[in-house]
Amino acid sequence: GAATPTWTKLTSGLPASGFTRISLGISPSSSQTLYALIANGSYLVNGFYRTTNGGTSWTAIPLPGGNIGGQGFYNLNVAVDPTTPDIVFLSGISCWKATRSMANVWSFTDVGGAFHPDNHAFAFDPTNHLKVYAGSDGGIYKSSDGGVTWTDSINEGLCIMQCEFIDQHPSSDAVIFSGTQDNGTEQFRNSPIFNHADDGDGGYCAVDKTTPNNVLSTYYGNSPKRSTAGGKFGTWMTVSGGIGGPGLFYPPMALDETNSNNAAFGTDRINLDAAQGTGGWTTQVTLPGMSGNVSAIYYPNSSLIYAGTSTGKVYRLVKSGATWTATAIAA
């Protein structure tokens, strides 16, 4: 509350280097007790520390197997039970419950196995500490017994799905495919409940406008896949073989609007295939002065492609005979 607050770097018992992201949890019932959950330089969540004197000194608490998983750049959180400083929840890829005994022995239980991975948030009911909520890439999960069992029923009606890209059936407004962040490829079928088409992450989608049973989608990275059964779950086959160059987490993909057999996939170049990726992406067009990655593709006809990049460049690709020529039209 000072007009000019002062800060003191806390070092006693904490690592001096080799760490990146840190999450702090303060005990509501014992304000001098804090916990720090720390990710190392590779974002492995391998540091767990406790102070009982407001941060003056810290003690390391060994984690099971030395760590609770990776992706500390993305999923990392620590929350302390409001009634006791000796129960702590750790959010990582999964969700863990740490309990301290009277003999100062810590036990860890993976309580997140029943629900969606990549955990980010945690909250307690203010009137009942056994009623807890975990927030992850799959939404909100609720436990009424301190993390022993969970239900996702609280998600019903909560429209939080992160749709990355969509494409629509050429003749039916009731069929739309969407790639969703960490919840796979989903298919809208004119129902509030989407049909799950494929697992994992979901990036770009493309529906063949001539033969709509042919659908393409991506996972993440250079991972296009194709279904010839209208996107039915379990019918996807990878068509990534032959793609050159590094791409974005969700690289762009597009079909030729005048001949949907022709597909384009963007990395640090434009990869082209005349059989929706099944032909090995044998045509690769480099972009002059390219930096970064292709971030958007528009394929209006068989001789013309426009591409945008992550560094703000725009290119026009024109085909003459069998040769594609790329020209920067904005930088």
Side-chain angles (χ1 to χ4, degrees):
T4 306
T6 58
W7 294 85
T8 302
K9 185 176 181 180
L10 305 179
T11 59
S12 180
L14 294 171
S17 61
F19 61 90
T20 50
R21 192 173 171 203
I22 302 172
S23 180
L24 294 176
I26 303 175
S27 170
S29 64
S30 177
S31 61
Q32 292 294 296
T33 301
L34 293 85
Y35 294 88
L37 188 62
I38 301 179
N40 69 8
S42 302
Y43 294 105
L44 188 69
V45 184
N46 68 345
F48 185 39
Y49 296 84
R50 180 176 187 252
T51 177
T52 57
N53 53 22
T56 301
S57 60
W58 297 78
T59 301
I61 303 170
L63 291 168
N67 68 83
I68 58 168
Q71 298 186 172
F73 61 90
Y74 182 62
N75 34 233
L76 186 74
N77 189 41
V78 55
V80 187
D81 186 299
T83 65
T84 173
D86 297 329
I87 296 177
V88 186
F89 287 86
L90 312 177
S91 300
I93 293 177
S94 188
C95 187
W96 297 75
K97 183 177 183 179
T99 305
R100 177 179 172 269
S101 71
M102 294 294 291
N104 197 30
V105 176
W106 284 90
S107 60
F108 293 84
T109 304
D110 182 352
V111 297
F115 56 83
H116 202 292
D118 295 348
N119 289 266
H120 311 277
F122 207 87
F124 297 89
D125 187 302
T127 62
N128 180 0
H129 72 109
L130 293 178
K131 187 179 292 185
V132 294
Y133 302 88
S136 73
D137 280 6
I140 302 175
Y141 290 77
K142 176 183 176 182
S143 174
S144 297
D145 51 19
V148 178
T149 59
W150 298 85
T151 174
D152 65 351
S153 60
I154 194 172
N155 281 320
E156 186 174 347
L158 188 63
C159 300
I160 57 173
M161 183 73 73
Q162 184 177 341
C163 294
E164 299 291 344
F165 307 97
I166 63 174
D167 200 14
Q168 188 169 8
H169 190 284
S171 58
S172 174
D173 61 2
V175 178
I176 299 173
F177 284 88
S178 174
T180 67
Q181 194 281 319
D182 213 15
N183 282 276
T185 299
E186 303 294 321
Q187 184 181 8
F188 174 71
R189 292 180 174 176
N190 209 27
S191 167
I193 299 175
F194 280 41
N195 182 70
H196 189 59
D198 202 22
D199 290 335
D201 278 279
Y204 275 79
C205 297
V207 181
D208 186 328
K209 297 302 186 285
T210 303
T211 309
N213 273 346
N214 296 339
V215 184
L216 284 83
S217 70
T218 59
Y219 182 38
Y220 68 85
N222 299 347
S223 60
K225 54 190 183 293
R226 180 174 181 258
S227 167
T228 58
K232 181 180 178 181
F233 188 87
T235 66
W236 300 86
M237 300 294 293
T238 181
V239 290
S240 61
I243 290 177
L248 296 173
F249 189 84
Y250 292 126
M253 177 178 62
L255 298 181
D256 177 353
E257 293 191 3
T258 59
N259 181 353
S260 53
N261 287 322
N262 297 329
F265 191 90
T267 55
D268 62 351
R269 67 200 73 175
I270 298 293
N271 298 263
L272 300 173
D273 190 271
Q276 295 185 351
T278 64
W281 305 95
T282 55
T283 300
Q284 298 184 7
V285 185
T286 58
L287 306 177
M290 173 66 172
S291 60
N293 297 102
V294 177
S295 57
I297 300 173
Y298 176 44
Y299 203 161
N301 62 61
S302 302
S303 299
L304 180 62
I305 297 173
Y306 292 95
T309 75
S310 57
T311 55
K313 292 181 178 292
V314 179
Y315 292 87
R316 179 173 55 233
L317 287 70
V318 177
K319 185 180 183 182
S320 177
T323 302
W324 286 91
T325 301
T327 304
I329 57 175

